[in-house]
């Protein structure tokens, strides 16, 4: 989750003033809304260090170890199984994808390290 970039939402097309169609609706001037705190999340250096130390000390959860084993095989089907496992444990597709990417990065780090 370090330095996560959030893509801005595409601007809505202006309303046409008609009651039907793709851009239906009353014509109004769009206000520029301030960025919400939920969209401004950045991981500070301090928190990144804390998470890194915690990961070293605590290690991986059993389901994360299982995901790592699946990802080490590296085939498309095992990638999918790892995602399905993560989705089941974490609740959403988005969280599952993020966890799978995190575990893939852990596998790559292990390979770089020489394990």
């Amino acid at each position: 989750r370090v330095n996560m970039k959030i893509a801005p939402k595409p601007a809505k097309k202006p309303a046409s003033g008609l009651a039907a169609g793709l851009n239906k609706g009353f014509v109004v001037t769009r206000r520029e809304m301030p960025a919400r705190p939920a969209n401004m999340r950045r991981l500070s250096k301090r928190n990144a260090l804390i998470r890194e130390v915690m990961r070293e000390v605590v290690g991986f959860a059993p389901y994360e170890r299982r995901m790592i084993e699946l990802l080490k095989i590296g085939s498309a089907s095992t990638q999918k199984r790892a995602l399905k496992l993560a989705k089941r444990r974490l609740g959403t597709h988005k969280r599952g994808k993020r966890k799978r990417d995190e575990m893939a990065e852990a596998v790559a780090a292990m390979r770089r390290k020489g394990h």
Side-chain angles (χ1 to χ4, degrees):
R1 249 222 261 197
V2 181
N3 295 333
M4 192 169 72
K5 297 279 185 199
I6 298 170
K9 285 185 180 177
K12 256 183 145 177
K13 291 182 182 167
S16 63
L18 301 174
L22 289 174
N23 306 321
K24 67 181 177 184
F26 190 74
V27 179
V28 294
T29 54
R30 303 283 302 173
R31 292 191 307 154
E32 192 60 44
M33 300 300 286
R36 297 176 67 181
N39 298 334
M40 298 190 306
R41 284 199 192 113
R42 294 287 178 264
L43 191 60
S44 68
K45 289 178 184 176
R46 182 175 188 271
N47 285 352
L49 177 68
I50 289 170
R51 283 187 186 174
E52 190 180 324
V53 169
M54 287 300 294
R55 179 61 85 186
E56 280 179 35
V57 172
V58 176
F60 294 105
Y63 83 95
E64 289 175 332
R65 284 198 293 270
R66 191 165 147 209
M67 281 179 70
I68 287 171
E69 289 305 313
L70 288 168
L71 292 169
K72 277 181 182 175
I73 297 167
S75 68
S77 62
T78 56
Q79 292 264 332
K80 189 172 181 178
R81 283 232 73 58
L83 176 60
K84 285 182 86 168
L85 173 65
K87 267 174 56 174
R88 206 170 301 124
R89 297 300 166 127
L90 300 172
T92 68
H93 184 73
K94 198 172 189 177
R95 288 176 186 171
K97 285 200 306 188
R98 191 182 310 140
K99 180 59 78 172
R100 181 182 63 180
D101 293 343
E102 189 183 318
M103 293 298 107
E105 183 56 42
V107 169
M110 284 178 197
R111 287 196 176 126
R112 282 193 298 267
K113 212 172 188 181
H115 277 267

